[in-house]
Amino acid sequence: MKAFKHMESFTQKCISRWSITHYARYSDTPHKKSKLAPLQERRMIDQCKIFAKAGDGGNGCFSFHKGRPDGGNGGRGGNVILECSPRVWDFSGLQRHLIAEKGGPGSSKKLIGSRGADKVARVPIGTVLHLINGDIPSVVETQSSTDVDPWEIPGELVYDLPDPGIGSISSDTSGEVKAIHSTGCSSSQAEETNFEKSEKSTDVFSQLSTSKGAPEFDTKDIEEKQEILYNVAELTEEGQQIVIARGGEGGLGNVSCSKDSRKPMTMKAGACQHISNLQDPDSVHSSPHAAGAPGSEIVLILELKSIADVSFVGMPNAGKSTLLGAISRAKPAVGDYAFTTLRPNLGNLNYDDLSITVADIPGLIKGAHQNRGLGHAFLRHIERTKVLAYVVDLAAALNGRKGIAPWEQLRDLILELEYHQDGLSNRPSLIIANKIDEEGADEVYKELKRRVQGVPIFPVCAVLGEGIADLKAGLKMLVNAEISHKLCLDQILLA
Ligand SMILES: Nc1nc2c(ncn2[C@@H]2O[C@H](COP(=O)(O)OP(=O)(O)OP(=O)(O)O)[C@@H](O)[C@H]2O)c(=O)[nH]1
């Protein structure tokens, strides 16, 4: 019933937006029964839920040497850090539980405990963070936090937890991470800030959850859906780091607790238990007052969206991967079966004065918006591309093949994009008519030009590299906004 309502709203949406006539439905021509890729089961993991726990601070030491306190501070706990890497394609290799090391305990002779090692996990470029539980990650670091001076002694025991009120991250429209570093504050300030924090969190939530781009998660085990703070940060550049869980400060040793550690210890009630050891140079005790602060915890959903200037969008087998290899140095897998591309391949198109990133999006089939084929896995990558390059196979219906004509391929592609997200196809576009080398393809190309108006069409043979120079020039003009044609259903003559 739910599914039925869903379909009904789809249809209505479609009718109002596109004024669909009897022909503006999917092609009834059966698809070429393509061989399924043997690796189809290996879908890319482009969404996952992770739990991170930073290391607790080590305990401070309570010890005396010749009547003077000499217990060192505990070491700081390690941070959990996400690092953006172009060598990682998806989240399949990412641990779901990321735990950083605890700080070592302080010891006598004013020795500071060792700093807990950071846990650094690599994530792909285009990783977006959605917060389920914990504090909004507050620091983006470009250098490893292991460079922090381990001898830095905190003046007081501060629970330096990230605070979205004063140090938060947000993603702006350009997709860059903005960070304001948090600073320490007094307890009264802290109270004030906590108040601000709850207000601001709500603000962020209402802004983001109502924003058009707020993603829908189909992960079944996410029950806290309504509490997700969407898009709290995103990682867009190689080497970018973000601390998602912050290590606890080490506990203070008694050398730091005492106002003047040089003076001989005056006996206090709490210290009585240590009196017998005062003369013992090796006396070492832990004190409950000197416990290290706990490391913070966080639960996040990570989502991957490709960031490219151009997306190649086309049916399986249209030749997108071959084309990417022809126009750039990328070496994507090419096969004569559907879904050779299981994840977006990225290629760089270099000009004298410009470099364009092109994504080869896995082949699209009817019903992809309902998660058929590779479904959502690729549709969400298209959300973040400036320009669409529709790749059609001129030879799909030629020579007894059971594929569909290029103009019908275009209609199906547009419908899929729009079903996934209203307006997704509404961006500068061009058409690449591939496989012009095939017998009879010339005639189909002429027919395509007659049927589709107002958008540049580039005939190419990807395998032989023919027509590539013109195509590159066209893509450059489109990305530079020198031309801005958009393809919509009205421009396609289907009858
Ligand atoms: N004749 C001819 N064949 C081509 C051309 N370009 C690609 N092919 C062939 O078409 C088949 C599919 O090519 P791919 O590049 O894997 O197609 P794809 O669109 O990336 O496929 P998916 O990964 O399923 O989305 C391969 O056998 C290619 O060799 C061309 O210009 N001419």
Side-chain angles (χ1 to χ4, degrees):
M1 190 62 190
K2 214 173 170 185
F4 176 72
K5 276 188 183 160
H6 188 58
M7 282 304 296
E8 202 173 44
S9 74
F10 260 145
T11 316
Q12 278 171 1
K13 194 165 71 176
C14 216
I15 288 170
S16 61
R17 183 170 179 81
W18 298 103
S19 312
I20 289 180
T21 55
H22 65 283
Y23 57 78
R25 279 179 273 121
Y26 285 129
S27 159
D28 290 333
T29 319
H31 268 286
K32 182 167 70 170
K33 202 155 191 184
S34 42
K35 266 189 279 168
L36 289 181
L39 299 178
Q40 196 180 342
E41 284 309 304
R42 267 180 33 192
R43 291 183 175 209
M44 69 180 297
I45 308 295
D46 63 353
Q47 198 179 80
C48 73
K49 186 177 170 185
I50 59 164
F51 165 80
K53 165 86 175 83
D56 297 337
N59 289 343
C61 174
F62 195 88
S63 90
F64 293 93
H65 177 59
K66 295 185 180 167
R68 290 187 177 171
D70 77 340
N73 296 333
R76 205 182 158 136
N79 296 328
V80 181
I81 296 170
L82 295 184
E83 181 178 297
C84 199
S85 166
R87 283 172 290 283
V88 182
W89 280 105
D90 65 2
F91 302 125
S92 53
L94 183 70
Q95 278 177 280
R96 300 303 191 257
H97 287 81
L98 302 167
I99 316 283
E101 199 183 41
K102 290 179 182 174
S107 50
S108 59
K109 299 179 187 164
K110 303 180 187 175
L111 291 178
I112 298 172
S114 57
R115 192 184 181 285
D118 290 337
K119 176 77 183 174
V120 182
R122 293 192 305 168
V123 293
I125 293 176
T127 298
V128 182
L129 278 63
H130 309 289
L131 181 68
I132 294 186
N133 203 356
D135 292 292
I136 293 177
S138 64
V139 178
V140 174
E141 296 189 352
T142 46
Q143 68 180 106
S144 166
S145 53
T146 47
D147 295 343
V148 171
D149 182 2
W151 295 100
E152 189 187 309
I153 302 175
E156 55 181 320
L157 196 59
V158 181
Y159 289 81
D160 185 20
L161 295 178
D163 187 331
I166 46 174
S168 62
I169 284 188
S170 65
S171 51
D172 65 5
T173 44
S174 67
E176 304 238 318
V177 171
K178 283 179 178 170
I180 305 162
H181 292 261
S182 61
T183 51
C185 56
S186 68
S187 58
S188 59
Q189 279 173 319
E191 269 173 39
E192 232 178 271
T193 313
N194 277 340
F195 173 65
E196 277 176 32
K197 169 180 160 179
S198 57
E199 267 196 329
K200 289 193 180 179
S201 299
T202 320
D203 274 349
V204 171
F205 177 64
S206 54
Q207 273 169 26
L208 293 170
S209 58
T210 53
S211 75
K212 195 170 177 240
E216 283 180 25
F217 295 105
D218 39 20
T219 317
K220 285 185 190 123
D221 62 346
I222 300 167
E223 285 154 10
E224 310 91 322
K225 193 171 176 172
Q226 67 284 0
E227 290 176 18
I228 296 172
L229 292 186
Y230 291 109
N231 304 344
V232 292
E234 56 189 29
L235 292 155
T236 54
E237 284 166 26
E238 179 175 359
Q240 207 173 24
Q241 292 188 331
I242 181 168
V243 178
I244 56 169
R246 181 156 286 279
E249 292 287 354
L252 294 184
N254 61 343
V255 75
S256 300
C257 288
S258 168
K259 281 196 175 159
D260 186 351
S261 59
R262 287 159 201 256
K263 283 187 186 159
M265 173 78 179
T266 43
M267 263 205 297
K268 288 182 187 167
C272 285
Q273 55 188 317
H274 306 298
I275 189 70
S276 59
N277 297 315
L278 281 180
Q279 302 310 316
D280 176 1
D282 298 327
S283 71
V284 176
H285 288 269
S286 295
S287 158
H289 308 294
S296 68
E297 295 181 4
I298 195 166
V299 182
L300 290 168
I301 293 171
L302 305 184
E303 190 193 6
L304 177 60
K305 291 183 183 178
S306 292
I307 303 163
D309 298 304
V310 181
S311 271
F312 283 163
V313 184
M315 299 278 169
N317 261 333
K320 299 178 293 300
S321 305
T322 312
L323 204 53
L324 185 70
I327 64 167
S328 69
R329 286 196 196 150
K331 295 274 171 279
V334 174
D336 61 355
Y337 47 79
F339 302 118
T340 317
T341 311
L342 297 171
R343 55 185 145 212
N345 293 304
L346 293 179
N348 261 345
L349 205 49
N350 293 316
Y351 301 85
D352 292 342
D353 52 347
L354 181 74
S355 174
I356 294 177
T357 320
V358 183
D360 157 28
I361 304 291
L364 184 114
I365 59 164
K366 282 196 289 185
H369 68 277
Q370 292 165 317
N371 225 6
R372 276 192 66 208
L374 296 175
H376 299 147
F378 72 86
L379 279 166
R380 67 169 64 99
H381 295 278
I382 299 173
E383 290 171 25
R384 299 219 304 189
T385 47
K386 287 186 206 159
V387 164
L388 294 178
Y390 294 96
V391 184
V392 292
D393 181 351
L394 290 173
L398 282 178
N399 310 322
R401 294 190 189 111
K402 291 179 183 163
I404 58 173
W407 39 95
E408 290 175 345
Q409 294 173 36
L410 288 170
R411 175 206 39 209
D412 290 357
L413 292 168
I414 292 174
L415 283 174
E416 269 321 314
L417 298 184
E418 288 299 318
Y419 283 157
H420 175 70
Q421 192 186 94
D422 241 357
L424 191 55
S425 69
N426 185 24
R427 59 191 75 198
S429 311
L430 56 72
I431 297 167
I432 304 170
N434 192 28
K435 308 196 185 178
I436 190 76
D437 57 303
E438 293 257 356
E439 201 185 327
D442 269 338
E443 291 308 309
V444 181
Y445 170 59
K446 282 182 196 147
E447 185 64 11
L448 177 67
K449 282 205 298 185
R450 189 183 74 77
R451 285 172 178 266
V452 182
Q453 306 281 321
V455 179
I457 305 178
F458 294 87
V460 300
C461 169
V463 277
L464 299 177
E466 285 172 15
I468 298 299
D470 287 347
L471 173 62
K472 283 176 80 169
L475 286 171
K476 184 180 175 186
M477 286 169 79
L478 211 56
V479 170
N480 280 344
E482 290 165 43
I483 51 171
S484 57
H485 308 87
K486 292 175 184 172
L487 180 64
C488 65
L489 283 184
D490 300 343
Q491 292 161 269
I492 305 172
L493 192 59
L494 291 157

